[in-house]
Amino acid sequence: MKVLVPPITLQDPSEIFRPEKVIKECGWQFRKYSSDSEDARQKTVYETYLQMHTHQTVDFVNSKIAEWTKFDKFKCGILDALDKLNSFVDDSDPDIALPNSIHAYQTAERIRAHHPDKDWMQLTGLIHDLGKVMALYGEPQWAVVGDTYPVGCSAAPSVVLRDSTFRDNSDAKNPLYNTTLGMYKEGCGLDSILMSWGHDEYMYQVLKHNKSTLPQIALDMIR
Ligand SMILES: [Fe+2]
Ligand SMILES: [Fe+2]
């Protein structure tokens, strides 16, 4: 007996948020940050960066590296990690409040459109933010999401919300760390830089630990 099944339509989650047309029409700008906006999303973003810039210090970063590179918190496959991000909204993003799994598929899909021949880069796009699962294992968002920057020296003017968020950071009062070069030597190279702790460095360390066969350039892109 033949059973007729009606066609199943699946919604591609990456089609849910397509702001390109709206942006063109109303002149929307991405990555706008404000320290005094009444907008709920802007307030959440500001609070996330305020906590980050208050608590991320050289000691804090070193303690988090030691803690998370033991890799003793959980075991998880790539697809499971993507699923976990279905329930995670990044509090540092001023533009959208959608689950981060959508960002993963959108990134991979856009790379596929521009680089159809580079399967490794498409995969890199898909997994680049999976380090955010730290937030589902006890880490506050200010130690997971957002832009990272070098610690151990004064924050550059390009650091997000720099002028209004560093006043209570203990390193900002420490003469070893609060100058332009801080604990670094001029020309020391990126390998000697200690970045604020977050999902980028964590995912890089996860891939190294698991002996990922992605090319080094992919690991560097994620980091
Ligand atoms: Fe990221
Ligand atoms: Fe991302």
Side-chain angles (χ1 to χ4, degrees):
M1 190 180 84
K2 247 187 178 176
V3 180
L4 285 176
V5 181
I8 300 166
T9 46
L10 280 179
Q11 184 168 30
D12 175 352
S14 71
E15 292 292 341
I16 294 173
F17 188 68
R18 289 280 165 174
E20 291 89 342
K21 197 169 168 278
V22 188
I23 289 163
K24 269 202 191 121
E25 280 162 12
C26 74
W28 167 288
Q29 279 182 305
F30 282 121
R31 287 178 60 85
K32 268 184 85 178
Y33 299 93
S34 164
S35 57
D36 56 6
S37 169
E38 287 307 308
D39 176 75
R41 185 79 201 144
Q42 283 287 343
K43 280 183 173 176
T44 301
V45 172
Y46 179 75
E47 191 53 34
T48 303
Y49 275 106
L50 178 63
Q51 294 297 320
M52 182 195 299
H53 295 169
T54 300
H55 299 295
Q56 295 254 5
T57 59
V58 171
D59 285 350
F60 175 82
V61 172
N62 283 326
S63 75
K64 287 295 160 189
I65 292 172
E67 180 185 342
W68 282 93
T69 56
K70 286 193 189 98
F71 305 104
D72 59 355
K73 307 254 188 200
F74 61 95
K75 213 171 172 175
C76 178
I78 291 290
L79 286 175
D80 288 338
L82 274 166
D83 280 352
K84 283 178 194 294
L85 293 186
N86 278 335
S87 60
F88 178 75
V89 175
D90 183 326
D91 282 347
S92 72
D93 192 331
D95 300 311
I96 50 165
L98 289 173
N100 225 244
S101 49
I102 293 175
H103 172 62
Y105 287 104
Q106 281 186 327
T107 307
E109 182 206 276
R110 186 54 64 92
I111 295 173
R112 182 173 57 186
H114 286 272
H115 301 280
D117 55 324
K118 295 192 179 78
D119 56 355
W120 64 267
M121 198 190 283
Q122 296 157 23
L123 177 61
T124 305
L126 185 71
I127 68 171
H128 80 284
D129 271 345
L130 291 187
K132 291 179 186 174
V133 294
M134 278 194 294
L136 306 175
Y137 294 90
E139 208 57 64
Q141 286 225 18
W142 55 261
V144 174
V145 300
D147 288 7
T148 57
Y149 53 93
V151 294
C153 59
S154 62
S158 55
V159 172
V160 167
L161 292 163
R162 176 231 201 204
D163 293 337
S164 57
T165 49
F166 280 94
R167 60 184 173 267
D168 292 326
N169 184 294
S170 57
D171 282 1
K173 295 165 194 147
N174 184 335
L176 284 175
Y177 300 140
N178 67 3
T179 59
T180 306
L181 280 179
M183 65 181 189
Y184 305 106
K185 286 202 172 68
E186 192 154 2
C188 63
L190 272 180
D191 285 345
S192 350
I193 302 292
L194 191 65
M195 299 294 282
S196 58
W197 179 251
H199 64 286
D200 305 310
E201 178 68 20
Y202 175 56
M203 193 59 200
Y204 172 82
Q205 296 292 349
V206 165
L207 293 168
K208 279 278 183 203
H209 179 70
N210 286 282
K211 303 196 171 35
S212 167
T213 53
L214 279 169
Q216 183 62 38
I217 191 174
L219 307 185
D220 293 342
M221 284 160 72
I222 286 170
R223 198 179 200 185

